[in-house]
Amino acid sequence: MRRLIILSLILLCSVSSAAADPYFDLTPGPVTTLSQIGVGFYAEPAFSGEPIFRVGPGVDMLLRDYSDTGWASVCLPLNDSLYEGYVRSATLVMNDYGLGWDVVRIVAPEDSETVPFYQEPSEDAEVHGLYFTGVLMNLYEVQNDGFCRVAMGETVGYIPTGSLFAWDSCEASELPAAVITSVSGEGAMLENAAGSGTPVPTPYPDGTEVTVLGISPDGRCHVMIDGHTGFLQQHELQPVPTVAYQDDSR
């Protein structure tokens, strides 16, 4: 029955040329969700409002089209119904790849609390941020230059090979925790991505517990709240997570 549904989708859904992704090519056809946190399925190609629902990794969809804005138009067979909507293209992988990507765990050196997430495979490159031991990333490639190409959500970059280890789902999280404590007392807005200007519509109230993943170069904290990831200002959190951006982050 499932094969018949997929075949019907292929016949019904329109096919158009797809743009190239930085680390793999998406073309119209069967795809599988990859994100470990959960993939938002939206009615429109925008973060306005809450997603219709969220799906986990390994869910099969049919890719109809892929735009240079980072959104993919997909068809999803679910509970004998067919849903049409949009997901972020970086959360998808072509079915013929399978779920071949490994999930790896950051482990900082003994003399440091964090590991730099570089934009290029070089210690002289700019960083996306400094990330704490325990953060999970998707491993795309182990290179011969001492770096691994990895992704965290839609952000692709490089981590030194010696700072990545296989993920054991039974391991307890070592990530630092904090609580939202805004100056105004009205809570804090979670920014979905650095510089995106697309916050979650409803502020998280004071007292909300967050998991701190890392610190961005502009001083904001990359956090996770109830499966959502985004950025909060350091002064909105207690205790205030801090790391030093010095020469060792280069």
Side-chain angles (χ1 to χ4, degrees):
M1 181 65 180
R2 181 172 174 274
R3 290 184 178 180
L4 291 176
I5 292 175
I6 295 296
L7 180 60
S8 299
L9 287 174
I10 294 173
L11 294 174
L12 290 173
C13 294
S14 61
V15 175
S16 59
S17 60
D21 182 271
Y23 44 88
F24 56 78
D25 289 336
L26 283 177
T27 55
V31 290
T32 298
T33 56
L34 182 63
S35 173
Q36 58 188 320
I37 296 175
V39 177
F41 191 90
Y42 292 84
E44 301 293 337
F47 284 118
S48 57
E50 288 293 312
I52 301 172
F53 45 74
R54 289 184 176 274
V55 297
V59 175
D60 294 335
M61 302 182 184
L62 184 73
L63 176 66
R64 301 180 62 184
D65 196 8
Y66 168 74
S67 73
D68 57 9
T69 61
W71 288 96
S73 173
V74 295
C75 299
L76 171 65
L78 186 66
N79 298 329
D80 296 325
S81 297
L82 176 62
Y83 295 88
E84 296 185 6
Y86 298 86
V87 300
R88 297 298 290 175
S89 56
T91 64
L92 299 175
V93 62
M94 298 303 297
N95 260 5
D96 55 0
Y97 281 75
L99 288 176
W101 311 123
D102 294 322
V103 176
V104 290
R105 176 175 174 268
I106 288 178
V107 177
E110 291 184 1
D111 59 350
S112 176
E113 296 182 4
T114 57
V115 172
F117 183 22
Y118 295 101
Q119 297 181 20
E120 300 293 338
S122 169
E123 292 184 355
D124 295 323
E126 297 292 328
V127 296
H128 293 298
L130 300 180
Y131 284 85
F132 292 98
T133 291
V135 168
L136 302 181
M137 294 193 171
N138 291 316
L139 173 66
Y140 290 116
E141 180 183 7
V142 179
Q143 303 186 160
N144 296 324
D145 55 6
F147 285 89
C148 291
R149 184 167 56 175
V150 296
M152 185 177 194
E154 298 177 26
T155 303
V156 179
Y158 300 84
I159 296 283
T161 303
S163 296
L164 294 175
F165 293 82
W167 172 55
D168 183 347
S169 60
C170 296
E171 284 182 304
S173 174
E174 303 174 36
L175 294 169
V179 174
I180 294 178
T181 309
S182 63
V183 176
S184 66
E186 297 179 355
M189 302 291 283
L190 182 68
E191 299 175 28
N192 286 344
S196 72
T198 312
V200 173
T202 303
Y204 286 94
D206 285 359
T208 301
E209 295 185 359
V210 308
T211 300
V212 181
L213 306 175
I215 311 291
S216 65
D218 61 6
R220 287 183 295 169
C221 295
H222 194 177
V223 301
M224 181 165 59
I225 309 174
D226 297 331
H228 295 280
T229 59
F231 292 83
L232 292 173
Q233 299 293 334
Q234 289 189 36
H235 66 261
E236 296 174 323
L237 297 173
Q238 292 292 337
V240 179
T242 58
V243 294
Y245 271 86
Q246 299 174 341
D247 291 340
D248 58 355
S249 68
R250 293 300 221 146

